Amino acid sequence: SNEIEEEVSYINLIALFQILSRQKRTVLLIWLFFFVLFTLVAFILPPRYTSTVEFIPPNFNSSSSIATELAGQLSALGGGGLLASAKGSGDLYAGILKSRSVASNLIKRFDLMHFYKVTKESQAEKILKANTTVTVDAKSTIVTLDVTDKNPARAQALQHTQTARGTHV
């Protein structure tokens, strides 16, 4: 029975190659069509640049005056609940970087409403949030910030400003 299965597979494979060789012009035209299509898409879509930074936030203990000052500033910004949910300084910094006040400052500083062609700050905030990723490594508490933009200089400036803003709240 194994010999019969091998023979059937062999015959099917030969039949497939025979069909393809008879239709090689059609196969070539289909391949050429998709090659041209994907090449056009690659040139039409604007390039996107991602700027990445990783940092280890300072470890605050509950008696630290810096931690107390940071907690007061977060409460003033409406982020008091952030402290309760933060497991460590990495989560705290990630929460600060994702905060609305940081986003609002970036939108105003870089005139992102004009660049994103929107009329409301909340729309620009959604676009900025979609282009920004903040992650915290659970084991090492390293915070990673990625900002993607069509302009490489703006991507780097947004990422740098967010990092500076987060570490100097």
Side-chain angles (χ1 to χ4, degrees):
S1 91
N2 273 346
E3 292 176 20
I4 296 172
E5 287 178 11
E6 286 179 21
E7 190 174 320
V8 171
S9 298
Y10 182 71
I11 294 171
N12 287 340
L13 199 60
I14 289 175
L16 177 65
F17 284 123
Q18 287 174 345
I19 292 169
L20 286 175
S21 69
R22 280 184 272 158
Q23 301 294 325
K24 62 184 164 190
R25 184 179 175 150
T26 305
V27 170
L28 182 62
L29 287 174
I30 290 172
W31 180 87
L32 185 62
F33 170 76
F34 281 107
F35 177 77
V36 169
L37 177 71
F38 290 134
T39 302
L40 286 174
V41 168
F43 282 108
I44 290 172
L45 289 177
R48 298 182 55 83
Y49 302 93
T50 301
S51 180
T52 302
V53 67
E54 294 179 334
F55 63 94
I56 300 173
N59 193 9
F60 299 125
N61 57 26
S62 59
S63 64
S64 168
S65 63
I66 297 173
T68 306
E69 181 182 337
L70 189 59
Q73 290 179 0
L74 279 174
S75 295
L77 293 172
L82 194 64
L83 287 175
S85 65
K87 296 174 187 141
S89 59
D91 293 322
L92 182 63
Y93 271 81
I96 293 169
L97 292 173
K98 293 177 185 178
S99 73
R100 197 168 204 180
S101 61
V102 170
S104 178
N105 184 311
L106 291 171
I107 290 166
K108 290 173 186 159
R109 181 171 179 179
F110 292 97
D111 195 21
L112 294 180
M113 287 176 57
H114 175 73
F115 175 72
Y116 294 148
K117 296 178 178 138
V118 295
T119 56
K120 296 180 182 176
E121 188 173 315
S122 62
Q123 294 169 321
E125 189 177 318
K126 285 180 185 177
I127 295 170
L128 179 62
K129 184 177 181 179
N131 292 332
T132 304
T133 306
V134 181
T135 56
V136 180
D137 186 311
K139 293 180 182 176
S140 64
T141 68
I142 293 175
V143 177
T144 303
L145 172 65
D146 295 319
V147 179
T148 303
D149 197 277
K150 293 176 186 175
N151 181 316
R154 186 174 27 251
Q156 185 178 18
L158 283 166
Q159 168 263 312
H160 176 72
T161 304
Q162 276 184 302
T163 306
R165 189 65 101 170
T167 56
H168 298 95
V169 171

